[in-house]
């Protein structure tokens, strides 16, 4: 039977080394329709309950220049102009979530790009119907997450949890 202790101290000690894979980060944004429909709390709740750690969050009304950079890989798509118009139609909640498999698991939690193909239980499966109003963005790879995080956030807007001066209270 495990005692919950290791030679180095309690297994869950906040001072135990954090493995690099537990520090994976993804960029999540609640799109203008998600904000307008009052889904901010519901979406944050899902990521918190899953166990991911909120590293950064801000409400921002993005300009077209930022969005064109964010969606640069889609600029040849016929829906690109309407996508930029949609995304710049109001404030979005931009966030960085951290934890093991944050990118891949985040995408599973979102569901498919087209809500019609998204299973119940996923965010898009539960809260939206059409692809051009699909309420949430999530990075599709670790590499694009790094690019998106640096596009939307300055380094000093990301919280550092470790090394910590004070232990978590739980
Ligand atoms: P993703 O958001 O699931 O990563 P992407 O293919 O990267 O999907 O597309 C970015 C966004 O562009 C989608 O979330 C959606 O808002 C929009 N979009 C994608 N495909 C279409 C389409 O066929 N018509 C209209 N909008 C689309
Ligand atoms: Mg994408």
């Amino acid at each position: 039977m495990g005692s919950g202790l290791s030679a180095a101290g309690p297994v869950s000690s906040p001072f135990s080394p954090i493995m690099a894979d537990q520090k994976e980060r993804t960029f999540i944004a609640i799109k203008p329709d998600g904000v307008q429909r009052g889904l901010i709390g519901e979406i944050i709740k899902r990521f918190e309950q899953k166990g991911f750690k909120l590293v950064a969050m801000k409400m921002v009304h993005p300009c077209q220049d930022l969005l064109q950079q964010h969606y640069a890989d889609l600029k040849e798509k016929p829906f690109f102009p309407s996508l930029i118009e949609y995304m710049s139609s109001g404030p979005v909640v931009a966030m960085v979530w951290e934890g093991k498999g944050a990118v891949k698991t985040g995408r599973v939690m979102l569901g498919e790009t087209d809500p019609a193909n998204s299973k119940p239980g996923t965010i898009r499966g539960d809260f939206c119907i059409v692809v051009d109003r699909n309420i949430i963005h999530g990075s599709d790879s670790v590499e694009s997450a790094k690019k998106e995080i640096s596009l939307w956030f300055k380094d000093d807007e990301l919280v550092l949890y470790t090394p910590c001066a004070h232990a978590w209270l739980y």
Side-chain angles (χ1 to χ4, degrees):
M1 291 271 286
S3 64
L5 295 173
S6 72
V11 172
S12 62
S13 163
F15 301 107
S16 59
I18 305 288
M19 305 300 287
D21 67 349
Q22 293 174 327
K23 305 281 285 177
E24 184 175 303
R25 289 175 171 179
T26 189
F27 175 71
I28 300 290
I30 306 173
K31 297 180 176 182
D33 51 336
V35 172
Q36 288 159 20
R37 290 178 52 202
L39 294 170
I40 298 171
E42 173 66 35
I43 289 169
I44 291 173
K45 184 182 83 171
R46 289 185 179 212
F47 279 84
E48 274 195 314
Q49 285 185 341
K50 183 68 179 169
F52 290 123
K53 194 180 281 181
L54 184 59
V55 171
M57 178 167 71
K58 64 182 171 187
M59 196 163 204
V60 51
H61 193 145
C63 64
Q64 302 219 344
D65 182 51
L66 172 71
L67 294 166
Q68 278 161 5
Q69 290 182 63
H70 176 80
Y71 282 126
D73 57 326
L74 298 176
K75 66 173 183 294
E76 305 303 334
K77 299 281 185 190
F79 59 82
F80 186 73
S82 58
L83 172 61
I84 300 301
E85 193 183 338
Y86 157 49
M87 288 296 294
S88 60
S89 67
V92 309
V93 175
M95 298 175 282
V96 179
W97 289 89
E98 181 181 279
K100 188 174 182 189
V103 170
K104 190 167 172 223
T105 302
R107 291 287 292 194
V108 173
M109 291 167 66
L110 262 60
E112 300 299 318
T113 301
D114 187 344
N117 301 325
S118 300
K119 293 201 170 66
T122 65
I123 293 167
R124 287 168 172 165
D126 287 349
F127 297 113
C128 50
I129 300 169
V130 289
V131 70
D132 54 355
R133 293 292 183 272
N134 62 358
I135 74 166
I136 186 164
H137 167 84
S139 307
D140 63 6
S141 68
V142 172
E143 191 184 29
S144 41
K146 285 183 181 151
K147 197 186 102 190
E148 291 167 0
I149 290 167
S150 65
L151 184 62
W152 288 79
F153 288 97
K154 299 184 201 122
D155 281 352
D156 65 7
E157 291 177 310
L158 307 174
V159 167
L160 287 176
Y161 285 100
T162 54
C164 53
H166 306 287
W168 286 93
L169 295 178
Y170 60 90

